Amino acid sequence: MKISAVIVSRNDGYGGHLNERATYCLNSAIDTYDEVFYIDWNSPTHSLLYDIKDNIKFKGNLNHIVITPEISKVLTNNDPQAQVCCETLARNLGLRRSTGDWMISTNIDIIHPKRNELESTLNSLDDNTFYTISRRYTNWDQIKSFHNGEILFDQWESLREHLIENSEERHWDEKTVQGDDYSMINCCGDFQIAPSHIWNKIKGFEEDLIYSLYTDTNVQKKAVMHGFGLKALYDPALFHIDHGKGGGGFLDGINRKTNDPYRAITGQQKTLNTDSWGFGDTEIESEIF
């Protein structure tokens, strides 16, 4: 079983302690998955990865793609209101190039599940269903308390073990708008996983939804519209490092425009993406760490 994960971010300090969150995230992702795509989108100066690489234990399975501000403008048709870290396009870049049997779209603030626990879960799942796994909670007070007041990146595994032993399943149902029967849980986009044939059939995230909000719910509705099942899971344990406001940068004013909820949820049927989704016809440079 080969598992791929796609993670997207921007080197802008979003939410505070971004470098620290990213370090815990990428160390655990590299350990758990066979293939990781980190897409750095529209960073003002340089990729976030270059600032944290000395604290990451690489093993040759991290694919690093950098989309510069100049290229991001081209890819978003020079729309000044596009999400500054355009998640739909960035995620599709990684998903289109992933080669796993199972493919995950996830976030930069997640401490990822243990490989054996994830495999055990996947072995019991239906391969014609799209899944979202509910995150559990942690914050810097908990992390520093475990590390005796410090942040110790090389001890991330023992931290994860401690969090697993001292956490419970997070059951938090959510509907984003009237008629939303597809989000299933709050923050469903933190960990979305499906067999590769589902991601390829629905052609990833809708590429006209280049603003904030509703894209994670949208991709789950698309799976249903294409005839697949949809289910929320609460195991294995994975953890979101708290960073205050979310909302894809809209709630804190970074992004000013949101996607139309009617277009994204109520009106969504089968995908409108073309066969070149994820810039599949475009050669994209990457480097391996």
Side-chain angles (χ1 to χ4, degrees):
M1 178 190 300
K2 184 175 183 179
I3 308 173
S4 302
V6 176
I7 300 166
V8 173
S9 191
R10 180 175 189 256
N11 193 6
D12 57 4
Y14 174 72
H17 295 289
L18 176 59
N19 286 17
E20 291 84 352
R21 285 184 281 133
T23 303
Y24 280 114
C25 171
L26 292 178
N27 271 321
S28 57
I30 287 167
D31 183 71
T32 295
Y33 310 121
D34 302 285
E35 179 180 66
V36 179
F37 279 85
Y38 170 62
I39 317 298
D40 193 275
W41 186 281
N42 191 29
S43 288
T45 54
H46 57 273
S47 172
L48 172 67
L49 185 64
Y50 297 137
D51 285 343
I52 64 175
K53 62 184 180 64
D54 290 343
N55 287 313
I56 295 178
K57 187 175 181 181
F58 296 108
K59 62 178 189 180
N61 64 336
L62 179 73
N63 298 269
H64 179 217
I65 295 176
V66 176
I67 302 300
T68 65
E70 295 76 17
I71 298 301
S72 72
K73 289 180 181 178
V74 173
L75 298 183
T76 56
N77 296 315
N78 293 297
D79 188 330
Q81 298 188 86
Q83 191 178 24
V84 292
C85 182
C86 191
E87 295 180 1
T88 53
L89 300 185
R91 293 187 192 284
N92 278 4
L93 270 172
L95 289 167
R96 187 64 190 261
R97 289 155 182 79
S98 294
T99 60
D101 304 302
W102 288 84
M103 290 155 53
I104 299 163
S105 173
T106 183
N107 286 331
I108 198 68
D109 358 81
I110 298 298
I111 298 175
H112 291 273
K114 296 169 70 172
R115 172 68 184 223
N116 63 326
E117 293 182 358
L118 180 59
E119 275 200 20
S120 177
T121 296
L122 295 181
N123 284 330
S124 69
L125 298 184
D126 169 37
D127 64 2
N128 281 306
T129 297
F130 189 106
Y131 297 92
T132 175
I133 302 181
S134 184
R135 72 192 198 188
R136 302 182 189 187
Y137 176 85
T138 190
N139 61 24
W140 291 113
D141 289 340
Q142 291 178 357
I143 292 171
K144 289 181 179 179
S145 176
F146 176 76
H147 289 315
N148 296 315
E150 300 183 78
I151 296 176
L152 302 175
F153 298 123
D154 62 344
Q155 295 182 24
W156 70 265
E157 287 181 272
S158 58
L159 169 66
R160 181 176 64 184
E161 197 66 42
H162 169 76
L163 294 173
I164 292 172
E165 292 173 358
N166 293 278
S167 69
E168 297 179 350
E169 294 180 358
R170 175 180 176 270
H171 290 258
W172 183 350
D173 299 341
E174 182 173 85
K175 292 179 181 288
T176 58
V177 296
Q178 186 175 3
D180 172 11
D181 297 321
Y182 308 97
S183 292
M184 311 293 285
I185 57 172
N186 171 258
C187 297
C188 61
D190 273 321
F191 199 95
Q192 296 175 304
I193 181 169
S196 58
H197 73 92
I198 295 181
W199 284 110
N200 290 324
K201 182 70 173 180
I202 67 176
K203 299 178 181 176
F205 292 80
E206 288 296 271
E207 294 186 339
D208 64 311
L209 301 180
I210 61 172
Y211 311 108
S212 297
L213 301 183
Y214 310 122
T215 56
D216 303 322
T217 302
N218 171 269
V219 80
Q220 294 186 179
K221 181 176 183 182
K222 284 209 304 176
V224 174
M225 293 298 98
H226 281 267
F228 299 108
L230 175 63
K231 186 175 182 180
L233 303 175
Y234 303 91
D235 276 310
L238 55 100
F239 297 89
H240 176 264
I241 304 174
D242 184 59
H243 56 84
K245 294 179 180 179
F250 175 74
L251 296 179
D252 52 15
I254 295 173
N255 297 296
R256 300 291 183 179
K257 184 174 181 178
T258 68
N259 292 304
D260 176 7
Y262 178 84
R263 158 66 187 98
I265 301 175
T266 314
Q268 178 68 52
Q269 297 298 312
K270 289 187 176 182
T271 185
L272 299 178
N273 288 347
T274 68
D275 289 341
S276 63
W277 72 276
F279 306 101
D281 296 337
T282 305
E283 185 174 347
I284 303 290
E285 291 185 0
S286 65
E287 55 183 338
I288 307 296
F289 284 87

